[in-house]
Amino acid sequence: MEPVLIQLLNGLSIATILILVSLGLAVIFGMLGIINLAHGEFFMLGAYCVATATAWGVSPWWGIAAAPIVVGLVGMAAQQTIIKPLYRRPLDTLLATWGLSIVIRQVVRLIYGSGQMMAGSLITGSTHIFGFGYPTYRLFIILVTAAIVALTFLLYFRSDFGLRIRMVIANRSMAGALGVNTQSTDLWAFGIAAAMVGFAGAIMSPLVVINPEMGLEYLSRAFIVVIIGGIGHLYGVIAGGVAFGGAEAALSFYLRPVVAQILVVLIAVVLIRVRPQGLTGGSRG
């Protein structure tokens, strides 16, 4: 019973983080048609915010609080200076965001060096669930990311701002003709997406190795989640995250983590081949 419960919680922990990282990617692609290859570097910047707070001797919680603000501002600056002039030129935006990811990594190397950094401990100890101990910080990650995902869906489906986003995604020209400020909506949607992935990097920082290359792994995993869930479907991110995270946690129980990740990618490839529209393809949302 204990190993099964622990693996379920591990799978839930991985899935919630992947969903949080992938949501911003899905919104940016669905709204702007941009494949943001700098998304992983935004995740990395969030982790470095916590590492910086730790290095300065202040509480890592300040780093977590600052991460979405700092990364959100970086994302908004990138949207205004690099991405906005390249709308309707998807291949150019692909190259531009790839270049941006390289620039961000090099800037981080210049400031912090290429070595690893550490984030301070935030919550220690374990919590007993049905008589079994489980790390309290992982439970914290599950609860916080679930709350943020729920708020994101409320923002997207139950607010005026979310309505404007969906109008722009459905028909940008018509939304503009009806009085929606599409440029402002683009800017804030991109900034919020960057802030979410920055926050994801911050809360994951105590559990991962922090270095300039760390974003690449999460970029590839986020793309797989979005694709197997169904491109353009926000609910698909949840389905993709649960499928990917659950499979990874289950296989890691029997196999080495590297082998498990390879098998998960192979399963994703087969799934995409069998169902190219994704798990939720056909139900727009």
Side-chain angles (χ1 to χ4, degrees):
M1 179 63 184
E2 182 178 1
V4 174
L5 179 62
I6 290 176
Q7 288 307 311
L8 283 174
L9 291 173
N10 284 340
L12 192 58
S13 172
I14 297 172
T16 50
I17 284 295
L18 288 177
I19 290 168
L20 188 59
V21 174
S22 306
L23 270 178
L25 199 65
V27 170
I28 291 172
F29 181 78
M31 181 171 172
L32 307 177
I34 292 171
I35 300 175
N36 180 20
L37 294 183
H39 203 67
E41 276 60 44
F42 291 164
F43 180 89
M44 178 262 289
L45 288 178
Y48 267 92
C49 286
V50 182
T52 302
T54 303
W56 286 356
V58 299
S59 170
W61 290 108
W62 286 108
I64 288 187
I69 300 172
V70 172
V71 182
L73 290 175
V74 171
M76 294 172 82
Q79 193 273 343
Q80 285 289 291
T81 57
I82 299 174
I83 296 172
K84 182 180 173 182
L86 300 176
Y87 281 173
R88 303 179 189 279
R89 294 159 58 185
L91 289 179
D92 290 347
T93 57
L94 196 68
L95 289 174
T97 55
W98 180 48
L100 176 62
S101 71
I102 294 174
V103 170
I104 292 175
R105 286 202 300 274
Q106 293 304 324
V107 170
V108 169
R109 282 195 182 95
L110 286 173
I111 297 174
Y112 297 97
S114 300
Q116 299 178 2
M117 293 190 70
M118 299 295 293
S121 298
L122 295 167
I123 299 175
T124 58
S126 61
T127 300
H128 289 274
I129 302 175
F130 299 113
F132 304 114
Y134 192 75
T136 304
Y137 188 68
R138 285 189 175 274
L139 293 175
F140 167 77
I141 289 177
I142 293 172
L143 294 176
V144 169
T145 52
I148 291 177
V149 170
L151 288 174
T152 302
F153 273 76
L154 286 174
L155 176 70
Y156 192 78
F157 292 107
R158 292 288 185 272
S159 72
D160 292 340
F161 179 68
L163 178 62
R164 290 198 293 273
I165 290 179
R166 285 183 285 134
M167 289 174 67
V168 173
I169 291 176
N171 192 320
R172 175 177 291 273
S173 300
M174 182 61 72
L178 293 174
V180 175
N181 188 334
T182 56
Q183 293 188 2
S184 175
T185 306
D186 292 344
L187 175 63
W188 281 103
F190 201 97
I192 291 172
M196 281 197 299
V197 71
F199 181 76
I203 61 172
M204 279 296 290
S205 59
L207 304 178
V208 296
V209 176
I210 302 174
N211 61 46
E213 307 294 333
M214 63 178 292
L216 296 174
E217 177 188 348
Y218 281 88
L219 174 68
S220 58
R221 296 168 84 186
F223 270 117
I224 293 174
V225 167
V226 171
I227 293 172
I228 66 177
I231 295 174
H233 304 273
L234 212 56
Y235 286 114
V237 175
I238 294 180
V242 171
F244 192 96
E248 184 174 317
L251 291 173
S252 298
F253 182 66
Y254 299 101
L255 305 169
R256 288 189 300 172
V258 173
V259 177
Q261 290 184 0
I262 293 173
L263 285 177
V264 170
V265 172
L266 291 176
I267 292 171
V269 171
V270 172
L271 185 60
I272 293 168
R273 179 68 181 86
V274 174
R275 192 173 170 80
Q277 73 273 32
L279 294 172
T280 60
S283 59
R284 193 82 179 169

